[in-house]
């Protein structure tokens, strides 16, 4: 570790280059962590009048981090540095491998950061800020036309970004690579087409079957303080979110952030008349938190010390939220405890009725409220529209119509206005084009990973009684520990024995929902 004294070095040239590079990368990581801490504080604790100066302070730190990372000295060291064969950490057999990964990933990040002219970065940041404000107003007033010129500009910037980064087959490849390294638009297309063809018939059968229980129970009163206590107790005791390295706060939009693997912040929000929001939200963010906590301490304060991609990250949050938190064994094990925390909700209910209620499938308008079956259709729709916008086959002005047509085709519903349709997500206003597919890739991967873990009979036996210690160890061993030192596809192949596909997820949906909805 960096705080340890450095012994004499046998190959002075390469060792000192690498050691100096690591010191500089540690500094970049520290500055970025300070900026993240300020951002967490802004969302959870900060008094409102602090916003103006806080914005300036965060911009300074962001600029400083970028400057440190793109400094000429870093370029020189990145060119010269070699993995240590006989350096100070010779006792660690994985040191050379870790060093090689550090150089590879940092060179990749560095090349991406330096391919963009400063003027372009500034233009993009300015345009995103303006588009974000325009989007807030447009959504409030249900006025897509006022947002359209900003969105056209964001699409144009995305195209130019792809040109700067370079791509072989499709400009989308250069965009998605920032969120899901190594993934290509063509692969996403193939996986999504398969998923759509196999789950649309299932969705139609579920809808035709009608209600599987009384869902009004989800709207019964449950005090925020009691929701917090119950949600956190499960997060700690079942999912491992130890208070020695984490804390839970409230924010308008739930998120997970961290400043090291041992300093993790999770947030949630409460609705006393709709408890699933806070409970499943807390467990979702706990999945993200446990991933970050599981990254090897050897990668601390380097570019490798976080999750491999957004998709792999989402596989962890979805596993805790849905595969475990919305499972029958989970509700059988925790129903009594839940009933004590929420006596009004639990009145006249049992584990089975609660299990069915929290697994309601209903085609609806809003992505973030969607269930396990319909969620992915919201993503496929966005992915298809993004491709068409980038290719220029769809004009921004035609977007609301195209959106509504696909909603009708996939889910059989039509938004009554654009605020509940094309304007619902923040992503495009922030220039985040290429981001949406990672949500569905994460859903698919969550089941593929759980299936692989359950090849171990002991893990299956535990999971069947809602006990997760062995599963959590398996995840650290097979996914978490590597951080960014392996590509997502490498992690998936090694952990599950095959590339990512829709197979496991489709089978999971068919079994779970055929049972709940009594489909033959
Ligand atoms: Zn998430």
């Amino acid at each position: 570790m960096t705080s340890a004294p450095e012994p004499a070095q046998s190959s002075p040239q390469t060792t000192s280059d690498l050691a100096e590079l690591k010191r500089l990368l540690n500094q970049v990581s520290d500055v970025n962590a300070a900026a993240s801490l300020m951002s967490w504080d802004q969302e959870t604790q900060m008094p409102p009048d602090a916003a103006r100066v806080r914005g300036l302070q965060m911009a300074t730190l962001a600029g400083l981090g970028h400057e440190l990372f793109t400094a000429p000295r870093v370029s020189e060291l990145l060119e010269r540095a070699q993995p240590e064969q006989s350096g100070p950490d010779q006792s660690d057999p994985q040191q050379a491998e870790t060093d090689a990964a550090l150089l590879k990933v940092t060179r990749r990040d560095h090349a991406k950061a330096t391919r963009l002219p400063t003027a372009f970065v500034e233009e993009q940041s300015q345009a995103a800020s303006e588009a974000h404000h325009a989007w807030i107003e447009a959504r409030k007033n249900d006025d897509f036309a006022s947002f359209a010129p900003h969105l056209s500009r964001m699409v144009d910037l995305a195209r130019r970004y792809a040109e700067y980064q370079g791509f072989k087959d499709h400009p989308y490849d250069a965009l998605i690579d920032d969120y899901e390294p190594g993934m290509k638009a063509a692969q996403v297309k193939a996986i999504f087409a398969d998923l759509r063809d196999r789950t649309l018939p299932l969705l139609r059968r579920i809808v035709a079957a009608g209600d599987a229980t009384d869902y009004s129970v989800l709207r019964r009163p449950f005090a925020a303080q009691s929701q917090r206590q119950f949600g956190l107790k499960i997060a700690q005791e079942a999912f491992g979110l130890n208070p020695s390295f984490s804390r839970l706060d409230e924010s308008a939009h739930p998120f997970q952030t961290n400043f090291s693997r041992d300093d993790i912040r999770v947030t949630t929000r409460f609705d006393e008349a709709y408890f699933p929001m806070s409970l499943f939200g807390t467990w979702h963010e706990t999945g993200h938190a446990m991933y970050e906590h599981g990254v090897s301490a050897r990668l601390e304060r380097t570019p490798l010390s976080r999750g491999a991609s957004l998709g792999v990250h989402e596989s962890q949050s979805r596993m805790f939220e849905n595969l475990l938190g919305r499972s029958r064994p989970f509700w059988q094990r925790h129903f009594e405890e839940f009933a004590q925390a929420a006596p009004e909700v639990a009145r006249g209910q049992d584990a089975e009725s609660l299990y069915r209620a929290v697994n309601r499938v209903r085609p609806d308008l809003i992505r973030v409220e969607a269930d396990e079956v319909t969620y992915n259709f919201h993503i496929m729709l966005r992915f298809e529209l993004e491709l068409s916008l980038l290719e220029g086959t769809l004009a921004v002005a035609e977007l609301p119509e195209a959106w509504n047509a696909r909603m009708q085709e996939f889910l059989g519903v039509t938004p009554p206005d654009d605020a509940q349709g094309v304007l619902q997500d923040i992503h495009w206003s922030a220039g985040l084009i290429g981001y949406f597919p990672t949500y569905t890739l994460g859903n698919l991967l969550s089941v593929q990973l759980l299936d692989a873990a359950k090849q171990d009979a002991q893990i299956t036996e535990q999971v069947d009684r809602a006990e997760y210690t062995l599963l959590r160890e398996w995840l650290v061993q097979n996914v978490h520990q590597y951080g960014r030192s392996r590509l997502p596809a490498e992690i998936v192949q090694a952990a599950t024995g095959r590339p990512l596909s829709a197979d496991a997820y489709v089978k999971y949906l068919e079994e779970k929902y055929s049972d709940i909805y009594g489909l033959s």
Side-chain angles (χ1 to χ4, degrees):
M1 293 298 96
T2 49
S3 58
E6 295 193 13
Q9 295 154 349
S10 55
S11 61
Q13 190 51 55
T14 54
T15 305
S16 69
D17 285 342
L18 186 66
E20 186 186 345
L21 178 66
K22 283 182 181 174
R23 263 197 307 277
L24 293 176
L25 293 176
N26 289 162
Q27 287 178 353
V28 174
S29 163
D30 293 348
V31 169
N32 290 341
S36 301
L37 178 54
M38 280 200 157
S39 165
W40 169 82
D41 177 78
Q42 183 177 45
E43 303 300 321
T44 57
Q45 313 284 335
M46 187 185 82
D49 289 356
R52 191 182 56 86
V53 175
R54 178 62 56 88
L56 299 171
Q57 292 164 334
M58 285 166 49
T60 296
L61 284 180
L64 193 57
H66 181 77
E67 223 171 88
L68 287 173
F69 185 59
T70 52
R73 185 67 184 151
V74 173
S75 312
E76 284 166 36
L77 292 168
L78 271 175
E79 266 175 44
R80 289 209 311 256
Q82 299 291 332
E84 285 172 8
Q85 301 303 330
S86 53
D89 295 317
Q90 203 179 14
S91 56
D92 180 356
Q94 287 173 284
Q95 188 61 44
E97 198 188 323
T98 305
D99 287 346
L102 177 68
L103 289 172
K104 190 172 150 194
V105 172
T106 309
R107 281 173 185 146
R108 200 172 70 206
D109 290 351
H110 195 263
K112 278 193 181 183
T114 49
R115 272 182 209 126
L116 303 173
T118 310
F120 176 80
V121 175
E122 284 168 5
E123 186 188 346
Q124 198 177 33
S125 149
Q126 184 62 32
S129 166
E130 288 168 20
H132 180 66
H133 289 294
W135 169 73
I136 291 172
E137 285 302 305
R139 190 167 72 151
K140 197 165 68 191
N141 304 323
D142 182 34
D143 177 15
F144 179 79
S146 70
F147 178 57
H150 294 275
L151 184 54
S152 299
R153 196 167 164 209
M154 296 320 290
V155 172
D156 177 55
L157 284 161
R159 271 197 214 108
R160 283 161 61 200
Y161 180 90
E163 296 291 341
Y164 282 125
Q165 296 298 354
F167 56 87
K168 236 171 62 193
D169 300 320
H170 198 288
Y172 202 85
D173 294 347
L175 303 179
I176 193 172
D177 194 73
D178 284 356
Y179 315 110
E180 202 61 31
M183 182 59 74
K184 305 283 181 235
Q187 284 169 276
V188 177
K189 245 187 200 172
I191 292 173
F192 281 13
D194 184 36
L195 180 66
R196 184 188 56 222
D197 292 349
R198 293 162 73 186
T199 54
L200 205 47
L202 174 68
L203 176 61
R204 301 253 151 87
R205 290 164 68 214
I206 292 172
V207 171
D211 290 353
T213 190
D214 173 12
Y215 299 107
S216 67
V217 63
L218 301 175
R219 298 262 167 215
R220 289 187 192 169
F222 187 167
Q225 193 50 37
S226 306
Q227 289 188 36
R228 183 190 150 89
Q229 268 171 19
F230 178 74
L232 187 56
K233 188 162 186 283
I234 296 289
Q236 292 175 344
E237 292 174 7
F239 299 145
L241 188 74
N242 195 310
S244 67
F245 62 76
S246 67
R247 52 176 288 143
L248 175 70
D249 292 88
E250 210 177 326
S251 67
H253 301 281
F255 63 94
Q256 180 278 144
T257 186
N258 62 299
F259 322 120
S260 76
R261 67 189 292 279
D262 294 316
D263 189 357
I264 293 180
R265 313 298 165 99
V266 173
T267 75
T268 192
R269 59 179 164 176
F270 301 98
D271 181 344
E272 298 200 324
Y274 189 67
F275 70 86
M277 190 169 77
S278 88
L279 291 192
F280 295 104
T282 300
W283 302 336
H284 179 100
E285 301 307 332
T286 296
H288 286 306
M290 295 311 295
Y291 187 3
E292 292 291 309
H293 181 65
V295 173
S296 167
R298 290 186 297 110
L299 309 181
E300 210 161 72
R301 296 168 73 221
T302 76
L304 302 182
S305 66
R306 55 194 160 87
S309 72
L310 294 187
V312 181
H313 239 297
E314 200 67 2
S315 76
Q316 302 305 290
S317 56
R318 288 304 204 176
M319 189 182 294
F320 282 32
E321 174 194 359
N322 286 339
L323 310 190
L324 309 181
R326 282 189 163 92
S327 70
R328 184 177 273 135
F330 179 93
W331 284 95
Q332 286 168 343
R333 181 172 180 134
H334 296 292
F335 179 75
E336 283 309 318
E337 217 177 324
F338 176 84
Q340 280 170 19
E344 287 180 82
V345 181
R347 196 180 341 104
Q349 299 291 311
D350 57 17
E352 181 65 20
S353 63
L354 246 307
Y355 164 67
R356 286 170 178 244
V358 300
N359 283 295
R360 178 182 207 178
V361 175
R362 190 178 57 159
D364 214 337
L365 304 172
I366 306 298
R367 173 185 63 87
V368 296
E369 293 165 9
D371 54 80
E372 289 180 293
V373 182
T374 58
Y375 189 94
N376 299 309
F377 291 101
H378 292 270
I379 299 302
M380 293 178 210
L381 169 159
R382 286 157 178 75
F383 172 65
E384 289 180 14
L385 296 178
E386 285 182 342
L387 284 181
S388 307
L389 286 172
L390 272 185
E391 290 164 0
T393 51
L394 177 70
V396 165
E398 301 161 349
L399 195 56
E401 203 182 319
W403 179 288
N404 295 349
R406 273 185 183 69
M407 281 299 284
Q408 190 58 47
E409 179 194 339
F410 288 158
L411 297 177
V413 292
T414 300
D417 51 49
D418 290 335
Q420 295 175 77
V422 68
L423 287 172
Q424 67 182 266
D425 297 306
I426 191 173
H427 301 61
W428 290 340
S429 81
L432 299 175
I433 297 172
Y435 185 115
F436 280 118
T438 67
Y439 292 116
T440 284
L441 297 174
N443 286 337
L444 305 185
L445 181 55
S446 68
V447 181
Q448 193 167 323
L449 284 171
L450 185 60
D451 281 2
K454 287 170 84 175
Q455 296 292 308
D456 180 329
Q458 274 183 297
I459 293 181
T460 298
E461 190 268 326
Q462 275 201 348
V463 170
D464 286 349
R465 51 186 170 84
E467 158 69 44
Y468 308 123
T469 47
L470 289 175
L471 172 64
R472 277 161 34 209
E473 280 170 29
W474 188 92
L475 291 171
V476 170
Q477 205 56 38
N478 290 277
V479 180
H480 301 177
Q481 62 159 332
Y482 300 114
R484 293 177 76 217
S485 65
R486 293 185 176 187
L487 285 170
E490 295 169 342
I491 292 173
V492 174
Q493 181 68 42
T496 72
R498 56 200 170 85
L500 180 66
S501 81
D503 292 349
Y505 195 77
V506 169
K507 186 161 164 283
Y508 161 78
L509 289 185
E510 276 171 354
E511 285 175 6
K512 178 172 178 175
Y513 291 97
S514 293
D515 169 58
I516 291 177
Y517 283 89
L519 312 176
S520 51

